[in-house]
Amino acid sequence: LVLLCTFLASNGEVVSLDDESFEHQTQASTGMTTGSWLIVFKAARCPHCAKLQPEFERLSEDEDMLERGMVLGEVNIMESPNTANRFMIRGSPTLLFLHKKRLYKYGGQRDFESLKNFVMGGFEGVEAEEIPTPPSALEFYLKTAKAIGLELKDAAMGKAGMVGYAILMIVGMLLTIVVAIIRLFLPSKKSKMS
């Protein structure tokens, strides 16, 4: 299956990855024997992702990319929350380049030439990171809590616009309800003294 996916990808295909197939196909944390991967993390209704799609498909058919054995993959972050959480994906599209057991985050323009230049050597000017291993159950919940915290921080700082303020209001109301429920069921100090 891995060889089939690599063969398909080497013929201009973009490999669709999900929580179940990501590690098996990319072998990201076990040696990367299937080659270097440029992966786009995207959402189905994201307009920026839709704009990137033709550039990404064009890249998958490029002769230089094919000769170097570059594999292109895509992950739908809504359908693959574990993989998105593993790589701390906070927005879409997010492009990551997995090369020789290292991870490089792409932050440039989302056009064919810029993407191609990055994977053909431009990544060397970017700080390499460790590829995160698939998380244990505890790590998954801790990363999820961290992601929620970062979203709440962005909301509090106004980076998320009106949606951020709505999130803060909802969290505030939920905390108020939880505190009210706890107070209802905890005995008051007056009843302890009687």
Side-chain angles (χ1 to χ4, degrees):
L1 181 63
V2 171
L3 293 176
L4 175 64
C5 289
T6 305
F7 173 75
L8 288 174
S10 67
N11 286 313
E13 296 289 325
V14 177
V15 179
S16 183
L17 302 166
D18 58 28
D19 286 343
E20 278 72 43
S21 67
F22 187 91
E23 186 60 34
H24 180 72
Q25 289 186 7
T26 66
Q27 298 181 4
S29 65
T30 59
M32 303 222 29
T33 57
T34 59
S36 298
W37 287 74
L38 178 62
I39 301 170
V40 60
F41 290 81
K42 62 184 191 170
R45 295 189 178 163
C46 165
H48 300 293
C49 300
K51 186 176 178 184
L52 173 64
Q53 191 66 33
E55 302 292 328
F56 206 67
E57 287 175 6
R58 184 175 163 211
L59 194 63
S60 74
E61 298 167 352
D62 183 74
E63 285 294 320
D64 293 332
M65 296 286 289
L66 295 173
E67 287 175 11
R68 289 204 178 181
M70 300 287 182
V71 185
L72 277 70
E74 61 185 12
V75 176
N76 182 324
I77 60 175
M78 302 306 281
E79 295 174 1
S80 301
N82 295 342
T83 304
N85 194 23
R86 172 183 174 185
F87 288 94
M88 294 298 293
I89 304 300
R90 295 190 55 219
S92 61
T94 297
L95 289 144
L96 300 180
F97 184 50
L98 308 179
H99 179 68
K100 295 185 178 180
K101 300 182 184 180
R102 304 297 285 171
L103 176 142
Y104 301 87
K105 293 182 179 176
Y106 181 73
Q109 296 294 315
R110 297 180 190 131
D111 61 76
F112 172 79
E113 287 300 324
S114 299
L115 289 165
K116 181 177 176 180
N117 288 338
F118 182 78
V119 297
M120 292 299 190
F123 67 89
E124 293 171 354
V126 175
E127 186 177 339
E129 298 178 25
E130 294 274 330
I131 295 175
T133 58
S136 67
L138 176 62
E139 290 171 326
F140 172 77
Y141 290 114
L142 291 175
K143 279 190 173 188
T144 300
K146 180 178 179 182
I148 290 170
L150 290 172
E151 291 297 326
L152 289 173
K153 176 185 172 199
D154 285 351
M157 298 178 77
K159 292 181 181 177
M162 294 305 289
V163 173
Y165 294 120
I167 291 170
L168 282 178
M169 292 297 294
I170 291 169
V171 169
M173 286 188 288
L174 289 173
L175 286 174
T176 303
I177 292 168
V178 168
V179 168
I181 291 171
I182 290 172
R183 285 188 176 177
L184 280 174
F185 291 105
L186 285 179
S188 66
K189 292 181 182 179
K190 290 180 184 176
S191 63
K192 284 186 179 180
M193 292 181 176
S194 312

